[in-house]
């Protein structure tokens, strides 16, 4: 329940900020163009707060925080007094109307730059993208790894942490190949360093985002610090607790075989659902034998696996792999603008690949996934929350630019047709377009919500 309330609160804060930014973009440009704004509303439905400003605009916060709007004086909506005709939206030039409509998405892109700027000023705790294995039967299988290797770039795009690697890989979905540049972890890395280049065939590469990451799907084995077979955590009510295991126990043998590594231990446990597994442990330098029966549970793939409810002791990440991703006052702006541009490009590519079939509609996410993401990022800390709302802000701007008549992009499409033809699109055509756009938007939202519920 607490997780739900935290996610809901984070969602409302994040969405409230982004909607306010978007609508303020419309509002600010409309005022600069001499258009009278009658209402500035954050949310839909019944107003929970309202105030009329000195400028005559009614400012409203409404019950349903899933959108907002700026109501401008317009002869197409209501009768306008003759003395106010020059302040009506429909009386403005087509280029002024284009500016007002485009200002909402542009405000979202500018806000993303501001959020990322603050993130880079504060600094993001990061890990170098280091691999120590590759998986068989994957695009990366051709890379032979003999020592930990740091990823320097993906198809010429410099990457400094795993988030940037993930973003670079996602942008190549549906492509034929990509190039990965690697260098030994302990080698001195300079901006001019090229590293060992490997070209991967990704023409048959696909992945399910609900089951694995692009990094895992392409076959890159992320380097992780060694795991010691010493129990660090025991889940209350778990099979391990019932068997008498305690924090600090060191596993030495499993079913009579010496402990090899944690993955092998997990493999035995998962294959032994409701079957007794004999463990020998060291506790205070004394050898003990325990019989534990893994509890049967169904995993994400629908398979029955065993679980005992323990976590091992993991050695800290080496200092050589940890760093603070941060910039100075000027460089932070450049980095923020560059990251925003990358997000815009990748987002447009993903939308295109949804239509070509290279990316499944299963990748669409709705408000539930956004709420979970907002809660998780806020839980990690303010700097991660900034990165999250920057990503959502970019996506909100791009979605609004889609050429569906109910969205800003649809209005822009009509206005650019007016620029070309020299006359407005007929009202009847606009009405048909709005109905079609509403139906398409409802369909997309339904798919996104279905995906959200299927992930719960």
């Amino acid at each position: 329940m607490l997780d739900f309330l935290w996610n809901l609160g984070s969602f409302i804060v994040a969405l409230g900020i982004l909607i306010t930014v978007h609508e303020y973009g419309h509002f600010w440009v409309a005022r600069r163009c001499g258009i009278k704004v009658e209402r500035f509303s954050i949310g839909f439905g019944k107003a929970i707060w309202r105030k009329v400003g000195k400028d005559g605009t009614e400012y409203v916060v409404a019950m349903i925080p899933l959108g907002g709007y700026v109501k401008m004086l317009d002869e197409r909506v209501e009768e306008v007094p003759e003395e106010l005709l020059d302040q009506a939206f429909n009386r403005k030039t087509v280029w002024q109307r284009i500016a007002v409509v485009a200002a909402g998405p542009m405000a979202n892109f500018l806000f993303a730059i501001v959020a990322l700027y603050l993130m880079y000023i504060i600094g993001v705790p990061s890990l170098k993208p280091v691999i120590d294995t590759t998986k068989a039967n994957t695009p990366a299988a051709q890379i032979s790894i003999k020592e930990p290797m740091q990823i320097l770039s993906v198809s010429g795009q410099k990457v400094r942490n795993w988030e940037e690697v993930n973003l670079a890989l996602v942008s190549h979905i549906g492509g034929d190949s990509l190039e990965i540049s690697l260098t030994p972890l302990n080698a001195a890395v300079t901006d001019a360093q090229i590293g060992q280049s490997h070209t991967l065939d990704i023409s048959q590469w696909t992945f399910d985002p609900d089951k694995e990451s692009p990094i895992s799907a392409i076959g890159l084995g992320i380097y992780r610090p060694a795991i010691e077979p010493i129990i660090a955590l025991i889940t209350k009510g778990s099979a391990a607790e019932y068997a008498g295991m305690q924090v600090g126990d060191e596993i030495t043998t499993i079913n009579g075989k010496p402990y090899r590594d944690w993955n092998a231990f997990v493999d035995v446990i998962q294959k032994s659902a409701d079957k007794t597994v004999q463990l020998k442990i060291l506790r205070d330098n004394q050898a003990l034998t325990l019989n534990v029966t893994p509890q049967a549970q169904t995993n994400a793939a629908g398979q029955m696996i065993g679980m005992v409810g323990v976590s091992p002791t993991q050695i800290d990440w080496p200092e050589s792999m940890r760093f603070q991703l941060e910039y100075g006052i000027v460089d932070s702006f450049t980095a923020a603008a560059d990251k925003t541009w990358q997000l815009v490009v990748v987002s447009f590519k993903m939308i295109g690949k949804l239509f070509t079939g290279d990316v499944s509609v299963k990748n669409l996410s709705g408000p539930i996934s956004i709420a979970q993401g907002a809660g998780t990022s806020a839980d990690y800390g303010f700097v991660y929350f900034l990165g999250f709302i920057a990503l959502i802000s970019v996506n909100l701007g791009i979605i609004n630019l889609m050429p569906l008549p109910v969205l800003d992009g649809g209005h822009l499409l009509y206005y650019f047709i007016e620029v070309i033809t020299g006359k407005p699109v007929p009202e009847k055509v606009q009405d048909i377009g709005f109905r079609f756009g509403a139906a398409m938007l409802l369909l997309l939202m339904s798919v996104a919500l279905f995906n959200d519920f299927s992930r719960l």
Side-chain angles (χ1 to χ4, degrees), residues 269-301:
I269 295 299
Q270 289 186 342
K271 292 179 179 177
S272 303
D274 295 328
K275 299 176 184 177
T276 300
V277 175
Q278 187 185 78
L279 300 177
K280 285 189 178 181
I281 64 170
L282 279 178
R283 180 184 298 166
D284 298 328
N285 293 321
Q286 291 187 339
L288 300 174
T289 300
L290 299 176
N291 291 319
V292 59
T293 303
Q295 298 167 339
Q297 293 187 15
T298 303
N299 64 10

Side-chain angles (χ1 to χ4, degrees), residues 1-15:
M1 185 62 180
L2 287 176
D3 284 345
F4 170 77
L5 292 175
W6 177 255
N7 289 344
L8 179 62
S10 301
F11 171 73
I12 291 174
V13 170
L15 206 59

Side-chain angles (χ1 to χ4, degrees), residues 218-267:
I218 207 167
L220 299 174
I222 298 176
Y223 169 88
R224 300 183 189 281
I227 295 175
E228 295 182 340
I230 300 173
I231 304 304
L233 178 69
I234 297 177
T235 303
K236 189 174 181 179
S238 65
E241 185 181 54
Y242 290 138
M245 294 186 74
Q246 296 180 13
V247 171
D249 287 349
E250 181 179 354
I251 302 170
T252 57
T253 69
I254 307 147
N255 285 336
K257 296 180 180 180
Y259 173 90
R260 190 170 78 249
D261 60 55
W262 189 257
N263 288 335
F265 169 73
V266 170
D267 188 54

Side-chain angles (χ1 to χ4, degrees), residues 1 62 83 98-99 103 118 125 131 138 142 157 159 168 212-213 224 259 263 269 319 330 336 348 352 377 427 437:
M1 185 62 180
E83 65 272 14
I98 287 173
L118 291 174
I131 62 174
T138 63
Q142 69 183 65
Q157 180 180 328
V159 291
E212 58 184 345
S213 70
R224 300 183 189 281
Y259 173 90
N263 288 335
I269 295 299
E319 284 295 330
V330 176
F348 272 119
S377 61
E427 291 288 339

Side-chain angles (χ1 to χ4, degrees), residues 175-192:
D176 295 322
S177 66
L178 64 80
E179 190 177 277
I180 291 182
S181 179
L182 305 172
T183 191
L185 173 60
N186 295 323
V189 178
T190 65
D191 290 338

Side-chain angles (χ1 to χ4, degrees), residues 4 29 65 85 103 168 180 182 187 216 285 293 400 407 445:
F4 170 77
V29 175
L85 286 177
I180 291 182
L182 305 172
S216 174
N285 293 321
T293 303
N400 272 280
L407 300 175
M445 290 178 63

Side-chain angles (χ1 to χ4, degrees), residues 382-455:
F382 179 63
V383 69
Y384 295 100
F385 186 66
L386 285 172
F388 175 78
I389 60 175
L391 172 63
I392 300 302
S393 188
V394 167
N395 280 272
L396 182 61
I398 288 173
I399 289 171
N400 272 280
L401 286 176
M402 291 179 65
L404 294 177
V406 290
L407 300 175
D408 293 333
H411 291 284
L412 290 173
L413 177 63
Y414 287 152
Y415 296 146
F416 279 117
I417 291 175
E418 181 178 344
V419 169
I420 295 170
T421 62
K423 56 184 179 180
V425 175
E427 291 288 339
K428 187 175 182 180
V429 174
Q430 290 191 40
D431 184 58
I432 294 172
F434 285 132
R435 292 174 187 272
F436 172 77
M440 287 295 296
L441 191 60
L442 181 62
L443 176 63
L444 288 172
M445 290 178 63
S446 299
V447 172
L449 280 170
F450 176 80
N451 290 342
D452 280 354
F453 284 115
S454 67
R455 294 181 185 124

